[in-house]
Amino acid sequence: MTDHELMWRIAGGSGDGIASTSQNFAKALMRAGLHVFTHRHYPSRIRGGHTYTEVRADSEPVRSRGDGFNCLLALGDSFARNPQEDAYYGNEEVKPLAENLDELNEGGVIVYDTGLLDVDEIPNFEERVEENDWHVYPLNLREIARDHGREVMRNTAGVGATAALLGIDLQYFEELMAEAMPEEILEPNVEILHYTHDMVKEEFEFTHDLRVPEGSHDEEQVLLSGSDTIAYGAIDEGCRFIAGYPMTPWTEVFTIMSQALPELGGISEQVEDEIAAAALALGASHAGVKAMSGSSGGGFALMSEPLGLAEMSETPVVLVEAMRAGPSTGLPTKPEQADLEHVLYTSQGDSNRVVLAPGTVAEAYEQSRLAFQLAYGYNIPVVLLYDQKLGGELMNVPASHFDREPNADLGAVTTEEELEEAPHGPGGKFHRYRYDAEDGVSPRSIPGQKGGHFLVTGNEHNQAGHIDEDPTNRVTQMERRMSKLDGIREFLDGQSTQTYMGPDEAEYGLVTFGSQQGTVREAVERLNDAGHSVKGIGVSDMMPYPEAEMTEFLESVDEAVVVEMNASGQFRGLTQKELGRFGGKLSSLLKYNGEPFEPAEIVAGFEASIDGEDVPDQQTTYVPAAGD
Amino acid sequence: MSAFTAIGEDREIDREEFTPTLEPQATWCPGCGDFGVLKALKQSMPEIGRNPDEVLLVTGIGCSGKLNSYFESYGYHSIHGRSLPIARAAKLANPDLEVIAAGGDGDGYGIGGNHFMHTARENHDMTYIVFNNEIFGLTKGQTSPTSPKGHKSKTQPHGSAKDPIRPLSLALTSGASYVARTAAVNPNQAKEILTEAMQHDGFAHVDFLTQCPTWNKDARQYVPYIDVNDNDDYDFDPTDKGDAERMATEAERSLYEGEVLTGRFYVDSERPSYQEEKQAIGEMPEEPLAERYFDDDYEWERTHDMFLDRHK
């Protein structure tokens, strides 16, 4: 983070093109040599309602949203007023401006569309501008767009205006527009972009000093979301079958895969419900294809029976779970990390699955690949757990990060040659679930292979797959299945899946999992800059739990704060359960209002915790250590 | 070389190949109609020329789910009501397999009703056998979706207030391209219908009447049955959907009045299977997807080469 970083927020109504405009804005800045990170906020509503996206850009790497923001482009919500229901919608029209002022930093820049927004409707607007030293540039973007093209192009006018104010070269926008737009709409858009840019330069005296920072990349960058990287990781690992049912925010991965798979000769199926979706993934996997399914909280709940079947039958499958705030349908478009326990323990019987939780956009690619390696290498279901924040945020990653060999290895399967030699029971029956399997992994055969037919069943079964309730067989099979987790633990220990932050030696620790990793990293840096002695760890393995690594980390610090987006401290609970100690060392910093942490909230929460004071921000909660 | 050499093996198939070498745990009661399904299924295998290694039999839960224990092939005894989604994905992954799904009336028309409707709608090329004995057997005799109205059981002590499900009409309306009903007491017709169903290119639904002598003692043994295709009283064309719907309604109404109508109610050989539809729009490869994982020469694409340009 540098002092002159840009935190640009575009606000408007859902359906007004806020997402695509901000995506282009971020990409333009990335092409201009900057590091970028986006943060999305949107309501569970298709058109209208307040939505915004922040683009944070810096010459240094950025891995998190910032604290507040310093440049607002308020476009107006074209769907705000329903003429038939004036009374109900009230002054929703000014939301894109009014709703964002609280988080606009001192000295910030405001560009707003006078064609759709009336500052007279905002209480004390002038006073607040003066108090906060905001620099306001009113522009009739709607009219400009209408005069030079069509009204919907006012986003382009807004971009042209902020580009002028921030000193961003228009060529990056022009190139992006040329790549994406057909000729007939490209022309007016380019005209609007230039017209607004030049007009702002000519007509306004710039009173602000915020300018886009300069930067250059050492190598070519790509702008991707967590949903992109999860999908790409799956594809590079040879996944060619996906089945799903739409549900926010999992739909993003499903959509990306559905568009990519036909190009790759793969298959995507949108089916009747989530039980079917997971069952389809099992069926395809059983038939010899690398397959995945997934959902979000409520949909994943429906998948618990196929998940259990995958465990018992040892059918490899990857299920992704994109968390949103719950319980039940909760906050459909807002992030939370409260499905951890749901994913760890859902389905009947002893849990015998792998749960991975990537922490960043780049890491989600690796963890997605890892998920398939583990699922197919060990014939076990793997859940890839992430949240709405990670799924939807965009971040630049070096293109070379993805320059790796594909891997379509089907893992623990037999060939027909091996089947001839394989252990067979009485009558030549293939022993699919042999007791003496190495690491607990008994290779499977694929339907159609000669000499390999066997029975899969969700009931306890013997070596040949037949239903068997003999107590000795039960214990042997249970122990074999459970022992796979030990082998996986050993495999993961060599993969450096946990992320360490800050100095090797420190007095305090910050512990987190999943999407808060980038924000915690920034907090660790800031705390050390401020003279504290803090190190951090972002944990990616939820099951099997990284016992050795976490023990070492927690032994090395006096106290540790676990940062997570839920109300009950689920990850802290898991840590205490798995390690059976450290209860007196672990406190929690929690946030569950539907928004991810800002770095300053973690800094403030940490400082308050070591001073024994209350956390200053009402939106976060500090829960002190309670003992074992 | 093919990874799945069992598929399309050119030899005579003996139905005894489908008899397990291990003695299955005795789970079907003496006199159970399920034995009739087993027998017909085994008999039809040599007819269609499939060997145990190229057949995937997916079942749900319940007495019908035990079919796997009595039938030697690749088997998937799955979970209650979910045989269809597992089966249809396996078929998409490897269309060369002979995929059969089986379940009971509770499994297929109750808990799995949604999957039934959608699998029929999509017209997956597979055979779905529903063991219809109008009762929950394995859970000891509760009312099922096909139990007659007024049926008394421990969970419906005052008699069911519900009309039974009409499986034939439901299959037809949902889009199944082959709809038939047969009965365990009629082994010859059962074998013929199952053979036809498996040879049919599309979703073949067979409502298989199976008596439950243990929990449904009152139930008829489905005799005497009438074969509607072989009886002058029922003049209809099974390729005509209107005729089929009329006959299905008639068969379902009369079943509860003691007249058992069986046979092929609807046969549509024109409708493309789901796989063909999907291939036609470029959403499914021509070669079985599963084969690709065994082909050492296949060049697997990378997202780095294919998709990364859009993110630059």
Side-chain angles (χ1 to χ4, degrees), chain A residues 27 238 269 305 416 450-451, chain B residues 5 9 53 274 293 310:
Chain A
K27 209 182 241 190
E269 279 289 289
E305 40 162 67
E416 291 193 335
K450 198 178 174 68
Chain B
T5 59
E9 205 181 24
D53 279 331
Y274 184 60
Y293 291 84
R310 350 185 145 155

Side-chain angles (χ1 to χ4, degrees), chain A residues 27 31 220 222-224 228 232 235-236 238 240 260 262-269 271-273 275-276 279-280 283-284 286-290 305 313 315 399 402-404 406 408 410 416 429 445-459 466-467, chain B residues 1 3-7 9 21-22 25 52-54 56 66 68-69 72-80 82 85-86 88-90 92-94 97 114-115 118 122 124 274 278 282-285 289-290 292-294 298 300-304 306-308 310-312:
Chain A
K27 209 182 241 190
R31 288 185 179 186
E220 192 172 35
V222 282
L223 188 70
L224 293 159
D228 288 323
Y232 290 179
I235 290 168
D236 285 346
R240 291 295 182 272
E263 281 188 60
L264 302 164
I267 298 173
S268 168
E269 279 289 289
V271 296
E272 58 270 26
D273 60 37
I275 309 177
L280 260 95
H286 180 65
V289 170
K290 283 193 171 179
E305 40 162 67
S313 66
T315 308
F402 306 96
D403 187 4
R404 309 190 202 180
L410 216 47
E416 291 193 335
K429 182 91 178 166
S445 58
I446 306 294
Q449 283 186 324
K450 198 178 174 68
H453 67 256
F454 70 98
L455 177 61
V456 174
T457 171
N459 288 49
H466 276 281
I467 296 172
Chain B
M1 193 188 88
F4 303 112
T5 59
I7 295 174
E9 205 181 24
T21 45
L22 297 171
Q25 289 189 1
D53 279 331
E54 57 181 331
L56 177 62
K66 309 283 185 179
N68 283 122
S69 302
E72 191 75 33
S73 73
Y74 276 97
Y76 206 122
H77 174 239
S78 64
I79 35 181
H80 207 199
R82 316 301 169 204
I86 292 174
R88 69 197 208 215
L92 290 173
N94 191 349
L97 293 171
N114 194 25
H115 308 311
H118 285 274
E122 290 165 8
H124 288 268
Y274 184 60
K278 227 170 145 63
E283 283 201 346
M284 185 170 161
L289 197 47
R292 201 186 293 174
Y293 291 84
F294 294 88
Y298 186 82
W300 291 84
E301 299 92 337
R302 304 192 307 164
T303 57
H304 183 267
M306 290 201 67
F307 302 119
L308 234 47
R310 350 185 145 155
H311 302 282
K312 283 176 183 166

